[in-house]
Each structure stands twice: as C-alpha cells, then as structure tokens.
Amino acid sequence: MAGLVNFEDEQEVKQFLDNLARLADYLEGVKKDYRSTAKVLEHSCETYEHGESCYKLGTYHITGKGGVSKCLQTAYTYFLRACSAGGRKCPDACHNVALLAHDGRATQGGPDAVAARRYYEKACADGFAPSCFNLSALLIEGNGAGLPPDMPAALRYASRACELGHVWGCANASRMYKLGDGTPKDEQRAGELKRRAQQLHGLQGHRQLKFG
C-alpha cells in the first residue's frame, strides 16, 4: 500500500527518517515553527532513535527552544542517545556529553572527569578536533577523582588536535616539545608545530598566540 514504510527494509527506514529530518529542517528554517519542530524531533528520537534528531532535541533543551523544558540534564540524556546512535552528529553529541560531564552541570555529584575523558576520546577518534584538544588539557591537569595527569597522552591528543587544524593544539604541543613535557625535548619538532600554529592563527584570526 502506498505510503506505508517497510520497517524491515533498512533503505526504506533510512529514507523515512531522512524525510522526517527534512521536515524538521523545513519547520525550523522556513516556517520558524519551533514547537512543531520540537515535536517532530522528539518523535524521531523517541520512536526511532534517530541520532541527528536526538542531538538537535538536546540543543533545544539547552535553551528551552520550542517550548521544551530548559534542562541541562535532559539535554545531556539526548546527547548521550545521539552519541550512541551514530550518524553525522555523533561526534558533536559525544563532545557535548563530555563538556557537560567535565564541568558537572548535568551530572549528579559534580564534575566527572572519567566520563569526560571517555566521550572526548570517542569524539576525537571520529576526528572532532575540539575534543582532542580538551582531552589534552584534561590530561595535563588530571583530576583527584580517578584521573591522574598523563603528559605523554596529553601530548598525543594535542598533536592529534593540531593535525585536525586546531591552532591551540599546535601551540600546546609545541610548548610541550620545547619544555620536554611528556616527551624528550625536541626543539626542531617544537619549531615545526609553532610554525603550524602561526599558519593556522593567520588563517583563523585568533587572539595572539603565546609559546612557552
């Protein structure tokens, strides 16, 4: 029968969910009907675990957009679901989970550095440069509640952030090679990373760089 979706056909299901996502985009971007958008997103996420819908619904709960509750804990839950579901917004969702765990605003008991590390690692593995950089910073500082400093790992993630085009990842990795933090001192490598940071700085227009 025309209009029915065969939910045993993976391609039909994908097309159906893509159509729901396009409907949400239309309601949001063209009609500016955020309440209806939120309803479509909730249906797609709750019924079909559509990752991109779960992610966007999480962003709605950050600000209370579309009449949904303004609640970081609820946003955190939807970001978790989007992170687990995979898809185009998976790295963004995992990064947001890590951010909220890192500062403790959406987790019981305050900051959770171990959870933050886990989700930063997942997003970084998917090529999300800000997660690689944040993970490097987290491992430089460490945490008294189960996450000791790890300078070699911090350097590895700063270098990965640099490879992905993150200017501050390059700057931090350069400083670590210069000072011998987590690695033997290597002035040549420090200089290479410094020049890469300066190149990215010029392209992106960041505030003045500082090197140790």
Side-chain angles (χ1 to χ4, degrees), residues 30-97:
V30 178
K31 302 296 287 185
K32 308 299 181 186
D33 185 347
Y34 304 117
R35 287 183 179 274
S36 295
T37 302
K39 290 178 181 178
V40 173
L41 294 173
E42 184 174 12
H43 177 70
S44 298
C45 177
E46 296 291 349
T47 307
Y48 305 111
E49 290 291 336
H50 185 243
E52 292 176 34
S53 296
C54 294
Y55 170 78
K56 184 168 278 190
L57 188 56
T59 67
Y60 269 45
H61 279 283
I62 292 285
T63 60
K65 191 174 182 178
V68 304
S69 61
K70 183 178 179 180
C71 179
L72 290 178
Q73 289 81 7
T74 303
Y76 182 82
T77 299
Y78 282 117
F79 290 141
L80 267 175
R81 292 171 70 169
C83 178
S84 299
R88 187 169 58 88
K89 283 296 185 180
C90 177
D92 304 72
C94 296
H95 181 73
N96 285 358
V97 171

Coordinates of all heavy atoms in Angstrom, one line a residue, residues 30-97:
V30 N 12.3 27.4 7.7 CA 11.4 28.1 6.8 C 10.2 28.7 7.5 O 9.9 29.9 7.4 CB 11.0 27.2 5.6 CG1 10.0 28.0 4.7 CG2 12.2 26.8 4.8
K31 N 9.5 27.8 8.2 CA 8.3 28.2 8.9 C 8.6 28.9 10.3 O 7.7 29.5 10.8 CB 7.4 27.0 9.1 CG 7.0 26.2 7.8 CD 6.2 27.1 6.9 CE 4.8 27.3 7.4 NZ 3.9 28.0 6.4
K32 N 9.8 28.7 10.8 CA 10.1 29.2 12.1 C 9.1 28.7 13.2 O 8.8 29.4 14.2 CB 10.1 30.8 12.1 CG 11.0 31.4 11.0 CD 12.4 31.0 11.1 CE 13.3 31.7 10.0 NZ 14.7 31.2 10.0
D33 N 8.6 27.5 13.0 CA 7.7 26.9 13.9 C 8.5 25.9 14.8 O 8.6 24.7 14.6 CB 6.6 26.2 13.1 CG 5.5 25.6 14.0 OD1 5.7 25.6 15.2 OD2 4.5 25.2 13.5
Y34 N 9.0 26.5 15.9 CA 9.9 25.7 16.7 C 9.2 24.7 17.6 O 9.8 23.6 17.9 CB 10.8 26.7 17.6 CG 11.5 27.7 16.7 CD1 11.3 29.0 16.9 CD2 12.5 27.2 15.8 CE1 12.0 29.9 16.1 CE2 13.2 28.1 15.0 CZ 12.9 29.5 15.2 OH 13.6 30.4 14.4
R35 N 7.9 25.0 17.9 CA 7.2 24.0 18.7 C 6.9 22.7 17.9 O 7.1 21.6 18.3 CB 5.9 24.6 19.2 CG 6.1 25.6 20.3 CD 4.7 26.1 20.8 NE 4.9 27.1 21.9 CZ 5.0 26.7 23.2 NH1 5.0 25.5 23.5 NH2 5.2 27.7 24.1
S36 N 6.5 22.9 16.6 CA 6.3 21.8 15.8 C 7.6 21.0 15.5 O 7.6 19.8 15.4 CB 5.6 22.2 14.5 OG 4.3 22.7 14.7
T37 N 8.7 21.8 15.3 CA 10.0 21.2 15.1 C 10.3 20.3 16.2 O 10.8 19.2 16.0 CB 11.0 22.3 14.9 OG1 10.7 23.1 13.8 CG2 12.4 21.6 14.6
A38 N 10.1 20.8 17.4 CA 10.5 20.0 18.6 C 9.7 18.7 18.7 O 10.2 17.7 19.1 CB 10.2 20.8 19.9
K39 N 8.4 18.8 18.3 CA 7.6 17.6 18.3 C 8.1 16.5 17.3 O 8.1 15.3 17.6 CB 6.1 18.0 18.0 CG 5.4 18.7 19.1 CD 4.0 19.1 18.7 CE 3.4 19.9 19.9 NZ 2.0 20.4 19.5
V40 N 8.5 17.0 16.1 CA 9.0 16.1 15.1 C 10.3 15.5 15.6 O 10.5 14.3 15.5 CB 9.2 16.8 13.7 CG1 9.9 15.9 12.8 CG2 7.9 17.3 13.2
L41 N 11.2 16.3 16.2 CA 12.4 15.8 16.7 C 12.2 14.8 17.8 O 12.9 13.7 17.8 CB 13.3 17.0 17.2 CG 13.8 18.0 16.2 CD1 14.4 19.1 16.9 CD2 14.7 17.3 15.2
E42 N 11.3 15.1 18.7 CA 11.0 14.1 19.8 C 10.5 12.8 19.3 O 10.9 11.7 19.7 CB 10.0 14.8 20.8 CG 9.7 13.9 22.0 CD 8.8 14.6 23.0 OE1 8.2 15.6 22.7 OE2 8.7 14.0 24.1
H43 N 9.6 12.9 18.3 CA 9.0 11.7 17.7 C 10.2 10.8 17.0 O 10.2 9.6 17.2 CB 8.0 12.0 16.7 CG 7.4 10.8 15.9 ND1 6.6 9.9 16.6 CD2 7.5 10.4 14.7 CE1 6.2 9.0 15.7 NE2 6.8 9.2 14.5
S44 N 11.0 11.5 16.3 CA 12.1 10.8 15.6 C 13.1 10.2 16.6 O 13.6 9.1 16.3 CB 12.8 11.7 14.6 OG 12.0 12.2 13.6
C45 N 13.4 10.9 17.6 CA 14.3 10.4 18.6 C 13.7 9.3 19.5 O 14.3 8.2 19.6 CB 14.8 11.6 19.5 SG 16.0 11.0 20.8
E46 N 12.6 9.6 20.0 CA 12.0 8.6 21.0 C 11.5 7.3 20.3 O 11.6 6.2 20.9 CB 10.8 9.3 21.7 CG 11.1 10.5 22.6 CD 11.9 10.1 23.8 OE1 12.0 8.8 24.1 OE2 12.5 10.9 24.5
T47 N 11.0 7.5 19.1 CA 10.4 6.3 18.4 C 11.4 5.5 17.6 O 11.4 4.3 17.6 CB 9.3 6.7 17.5 OG1 8.3 7.5 18.2 CG2 8.6 5.5 16.9
Y48 N 12.4 6.2 17.0 CA 13.3 5.6 16.0 C 14.8 5.7 16.4 O 15.6 5.2 15.7 CB 13.1 6.2 14.6 CG 11.6 6.0 14.2 CD1 10.8 7.2 14.0 CD2 11.1 4.8 13.9 CE1 9.5 7.1 13.6 CE2 9.7 4.7 13.5 CZ 9.0 5.8 13.4 OH 7.7 5.7 13.0
E49 N 15.1 6.4 17.5 CA 16.4 6.6 18.0 C 17.3 7.2 16.8 O 18.4 6.8 16.6 CB 17.1 5.3 18.4 CG 16.5 4.8 19.7 CD 16.9 5.6 20.9 OE1 18.0 6.3 20.9 OE2 16.2 5.6 22.0
H50 N 16.7 8.2 16.1 CA 17.4 8.9 15.1 C 18.4 9.8 15.7 O 18.0 10.8 16.3 CB 16.4 9.6 14.2 CG 17.0 10.3 13.0 ND1 17.0 11.6 12.8 CD2 17.6 9.8 11.9 CE1 17.6 11.9 11.7 NE2 18.0 10.8 11.1
G51 N 19.7 9.6 15.4 CA 20.7 10.3 16.1 C 20.7 11.8 16.0 O 20.9 12.6 16.9
E52 N 20.5 12.2 14.7 CA 20.5 13.7 14.5 C 19.4 14.4 15.1 O 19.5 15.5 15.6 CB 20.5 13.9 12.9 CG 21.8 13.5 12.3 CD 21.8 13.7 10.8 OE1 21.2 14.6 10.3 OE2 22.4 12.9 10.1
S53 N 18.2 13.7 15.2 CA 17.1 14.3 15.9 C 17.3 14.3 17.4 O 17.0 15.3 18.0 CB 15.8 13.4 15.6 OG 15.5 13.5 14.2
C54 N 17.9 13.3 17.9 CA 18.2 13.3 19.4 C 19.2 14.5 19.7 O 19.0 15.2 20.7 CB 18.8 12.0 19.8 SG 17.7 10.6 19.7
Y55 N 20.2 14.6 18.8 CA 21.2 15.7 19.0 C 20.5 17.1 19.0 O 20.7 17.9 19.9 CB 22.3 15.7 17.9 CG 23.2 16.9 18.0 CD1 24.2 17.0 18.9 CD2 23.0 17.9 17.1 CE1 25.0 18.1 19.0 CE2 23.8 19.0 17.1 CZ 24.8 19.1 18.1 OH 25.6 20.2 18.1
K56 N 19.7 17.3 18.0 CA 19.0 18.6 17.9 C 18.1 18.9 19.0 O 18.0 20.0 19.5 CB 18.4 18.8 16.5 CG 17.8 20.2 16.3 CD 17.3 20.5 14.9 CE 18.5 20.9 14.0 NZ 18.1 21.3 12.7
L57 N 17.4 17.8 19.4 CA 16.5 18.0 20.6 C 17.2 18.3 21.8 O 16.8 19.1 22.6 CB 15.7 16.7 20.8 CG 14.5 16.7 21.8 CD1 13.5 17.8 21.4 CD2 13.8 15.4 21.8
G58 N 18.4 17.8 22.0 CA 19.3 18.1 23.1 C 19.6 19.6 23.1 O 19.6 20.3 24.1
T59 N 19.9 20.1 21.9 CA 20.2 21.6 21.8 C 19.0 22.4 22.1 O 19.1 23.5 22.7 CB 20.8 22.0 20.4 OG1 19.7 21.8 19.4 CG2 21.9 21.1 20.0
Y60 N 17.8 21.9 21.8 CA 16.6 22.7 22.2 C 16.4 22.7 23.7 O 16.0 23.7 24.2 CB 15.4 22.0 21.5 CG 15.0 22.5 20.2 CD1 16.0 22.7 19.2 CD2 13.7 22.8 19.9 CE1 15.6 23.2 17.9 CE2 13.3 23.3 18.6 CZ 14.3 23.5 17.7 OH 14.0 23.9 16.4
H61 N 16.8 21.6 24.4 CA 16.7 21.6 25.8 C 17.7 22.5 26.5 O 17.5 22.9 27.7 CB 16.7 20.2 26.4 CG 15.4 19.5 26.2 ND1 14.4 19.7 27.1 CD2 15.0 18.5 25.3 CE1 13.3 18.9 26.7 NE2 13.7 18.2 25.7
I62 N 18.8 22.8 25.8 CA 19.8 23.7 26.4 C 19.2 25.1 26.7 O 19.4 25.7 27.7 CB 21.0 23.8 25.5 CG1 21.8 22.5 25.4 CG2 21.9 25.0 25.9 CD1 22.6 22.2 26.6
T63 N 18.4 25.6 25.7 CA 17.8 26.9 25.8 C 16.3 27.0 26.1 O 15.8 28.0 26.3 CB 18.1 27.7 24.5 OG1 17.5 27.0 23.4 CG2 19.6 27.8 24.3
G64 N 15.7 25.8 26.0 CA 14.2 25.8 26.2 C 13.5 26.2 24.9 O 12.3 26.6 24.9
K65 N 14.1 26.0 23.8 CA 13.6 26.4 22.5 C 12.4 25.5 22.2 O 12.3 24.3 22.5 CB 14.7 26.2 21.4 CG 14.3 26.8 20.1 CD 15.5 26.8 19.2 CE 15.3 27.4 17.8 NZ 16.5 27.3 16.9
G66 N 11.4 26.1 21.5 CA 10.3 25.3 21.0 C 9.3 24.9 22.1 O 8.6 23.9 21.9
G67 N 9.4 25.5 23.3 CA 8.5 25.2 24.4 C 8.9 24.0 25.2 O 8.2 23.6 26.1
V68 N 10.1 23.4 24.9 CA 10.6 22.2 25.7 C 11.2 22.8 27.0 O 11.5 24.0 27.1 CB 11.6 21.4 24.9 CG1 11.0 20.9 23.6 CG2 12.9 22.1 24.7
S69 N 11.4 21.9 27.9 CA 11.9 22.3 29.2 C 13.4 22.7 29.0 O 14.1 22.1 28.2 CB 11.9 21.2 30.2 OG 12.6 20.1 29.8
K70 N 13.8 23.8 29.7 CA 15.2 24.2 29.7 C 15.9 23.4 30.8 O 15.7 23.7 32.0 CB 15.3 25.7 29.9 CG 16.7 26.3 29.9 CD 16.7 27.8 30.1 CE 18.1 28.3 30.1 NZ 18.2 29.8 30.3
C71 N 16.6 22.4 30.4 CA 17.1 21.5 31.4 C 18.4 20.8 30.9 O 18.3 20.1 29.9 CB 16.1 20.4 31.7 SG 16.6 19.2 32.9
L72 N 19.5 21.1 31.5 CA 20.8 20.5 31.1 C 20.8 19.0 31.2 O 21.4 18.3 30.4 CB 21.9 21.2 31.8 CG 22.2 22.6 31.5 CD1 23.4 23.2 32.4 CD2 22.6 22.8 30.0
Q73 N 20.2 18.5 32.3 CA 20.2 17.1 32.5 C 19.4 16.4 31.4 O 19.9 15.3 30.9 CB 19.5 16.7 33.8 CG 20.3 17.1 35.1 CD 20.2 18.6 35.4 OE1 19.4 19.3 34.8 NE2 21.0 19.0 36.4
T74 N 18.3 16.9 30.9 CA 17.6 16.4 29.8 C 18.4 16.5 28.5 O 18.5 15.5 27.7 CB 16.2 17.1 29.6 OG1 15.5 17.0 30.8 CG2 15.4 16.4 28.5
A75 N 19.0 17.6 28.3 CA 19.9 17.8 27.1 C 21.0 16.7 27.1 O 21.3 16.1 26.1 CB 20.5 19.2 27.1
Y76 N 21.6 16.5 28.3 CA 22.7 15.5 28.5 C 22.2 14.1 28.0 O 22.9 13.4 27.3 CB 23.1 15.5 29.9 CG 24.2 14.6 30.3 CD1 25.6 15.0 30.0 CD2 24.0 13.4 30.9 CE1 26.6 14.1 30.4 CE2 25.0 12.5 31.2 CZ 26.3 12.9 31.0 OH 27.4 12.1 31.3
T77 N 20.9 13.8 28.4 CA 20.4 12.5 28.1 C 20.2 12.3 26.6 O 20.5 11.3 26.0 CB 19.0 12.3 28.8 OG1 19.2 12.4 30.2 CG2 18.4 11.0 28.4
Y78 N 19.7 13.4 25.9 CA 19.6 13.3 24.5 C 20.9 13.3 23.7 O 21.1 12.6 22.7 CB 18.7 14.4 24.0 CG 17.2 14.2 24.2 CD1 16.5 15.0 25.1 CD2 16.6 13.1 23.7 CE1 15.1 14.8 25.3 CE2 15.2 12.8 23.9 CZ 14.5 13.7 24.7 OH 13.2 13.4 25.0
F79 N 21.9 14.0 24.3 CA 23.2 14.0 23.6 C 23.8 12.6 23.8 O 24.5 12.1 22.9 CB 24.1 15.0 24.3 CG 23.8 16.4 23.9 CD1 23.9 17.4 24.9 CD2 23.4 16.8 22.7 CE1 23.6 18.8 24.6 CE2 23.0 18.1 22.3 CZ 23.2 19.1 23.3
L80 N 23.6 11.9 24.9 CA 24.1 10.6 25.1 C 23.5 9.6 24.1 O 24.2 8.8 23.5 CB 23.7 10.1 26.5 CG 24.7 10.3 27.7 CD1 24.1 9.8 29.0 CD2 26.0 9.5 27.4
R81 N 22.2 9.8 23.9 CA 21.5 8.9 22.9 C 22.0 9.2 21.5 O 22.2 8.2 20.7 CB 20.0 9.1 23.0 CG 19.4 8.7 24.3 CD 18.0 9.1 24.5 NE 17.0 8.3 23.6 CZ 15.7 8.4 23.7 NH1 15.2 9.0 24.7 NH2 15.0 7.7 22.9
A82 N 22.2 10.4 21.2 CA 22.8 10.7 19.8 C 24.2 10.2 19.7 O 24.6 9.7 18.6 CB 22.7 12.2 19.6
C83 N 25.0 10.3 20.8 CA 26.3 9.8 20.7 C 26.3 8.3 20.5 O 27.2 7.7 19.7 CB 27.0 10.1 22.0 SG 28.7 9.5 22.2
S84 N 25.4 7.6 21.1 CA 25.3 6.1 21.0 C 24.7 5.7 19.6 O 25.1 4.6 19.1 CB 24.5 5.5 22.1 OG 25.1 5.8 23.4
A85 N 23.9 6.5 19.1 CA 23.1 6.2 17.9 C 24.0 6.2 16.6 O 23.7 5.6 15.6 CB 21.9 7.1 17.7
G86 N 25.1 7.0 16.7 CA 25.9 7.2 15.5 C 25.3 8.2 14.5 O 24.3 8.9 14.8
G87 N 25.9 8.3 13.4 CA 25.4 9.3 12.4 C 26.2 10.6 12.3 O 27.2 10.7 13.0
R88 N 25.7 11.5 11.5 CA 26.5 12.7 11.2 C 26.8 13.5 12.4 O 27.9 14.2 12.5 CB 25.7 13.5 10.2 CG 26.5 14.7 9.6 CD 25.7 15.3 8.4 NE 24.4 15.7 8.7 CZ 24.1 16.9 9.2 NH1 25.0 17.8 9.4 NH2 22.8 17.2 9.5
K89 N 25.9 13.6 13.4 CA 26.1 14.5 14.5 C 26.7 13.7 15.7 O 26.7 14.3 16.8 CB 24.8 15.1 14.9 CG 24.4 16.3 14.0 CD 25.3 17.4 14.1 CE 24.9 18.6 13.3 NZ 25.9 19.7 13.5
C90 N 27.1 12.5 15.5 CA 27.6 11.7 16.6 C 28.8 12.4 17.3 O 28.8 12.5 18.5 CB 28.0 10.3 16.1 SG 28.7 9.2 17.4
P91 N 29.8 12.8 16.6 CA 31.0 13.5 17.2 C 30.6 14.7 18.0 O 31.1 14.9 19.1 CB 31.9 13.8 16.1 CG 31.5 12.9 15.0 CD 30.0 12.7 15.1
D92 N 29.7 15.5 17.5 CA 29.2 16.7 18.2 C 28.5 16.3 19.5 O 28.7 17.0 20.5 CB 28.2 17.5 17.3 CG 28.8 17.9 16.0 OD1 29.0 17.0 15.1 OD2 29.1 19.1 15.8
A93 N 27.7 15.3 19.4 CA 26.9 14.8 20.6 C 27.8 14.3 21.6 O 27.7 14.6 22.8 CB 25.9 13.8 20.2
C94 N 28.8 13.5 21.2 CA 29.8 12.9 22.2 C 30.6 14.1 22.9 O 30.8 14.0 24.1 CB 30.7 11.9 21.5 SG 29.9 10.5 20.9
H95 N 30.9 15.1 22.1 CA 31.7 16.2 22.6 C 30.8 16.9 23.6 O 31.3 17.3 24.7 CB 32.0 17.2 21.5 CG 32.8 18.4 21.9 ND1 34.1 18.3 22.3 CD2 32.5 19.7 22.0 CE1 34.6 19.5 22.6 NE2 33.6 20.3 22.5
N96 N 29.5 17.1 23.4 CA 28.7 17.8 24.3 C 28.5 17.0 25.6 O 28.4 17.6 26.7 CB 27.3 18.1 23.7 CG 27.4 19.2 22.7 OD1 28.4 19.9 22.5 ND2 26.2 19.5 22.0
V97 N 28.4 15.7 25.5 CA 28.3 14.9 26.7 C 29.6 15.1 27.5 O 29.5 15.3 28.7 CB 28.2 13.4 26.3 CG1 28.4 12.5 27.5 CG2 26.8 13.1 25.6

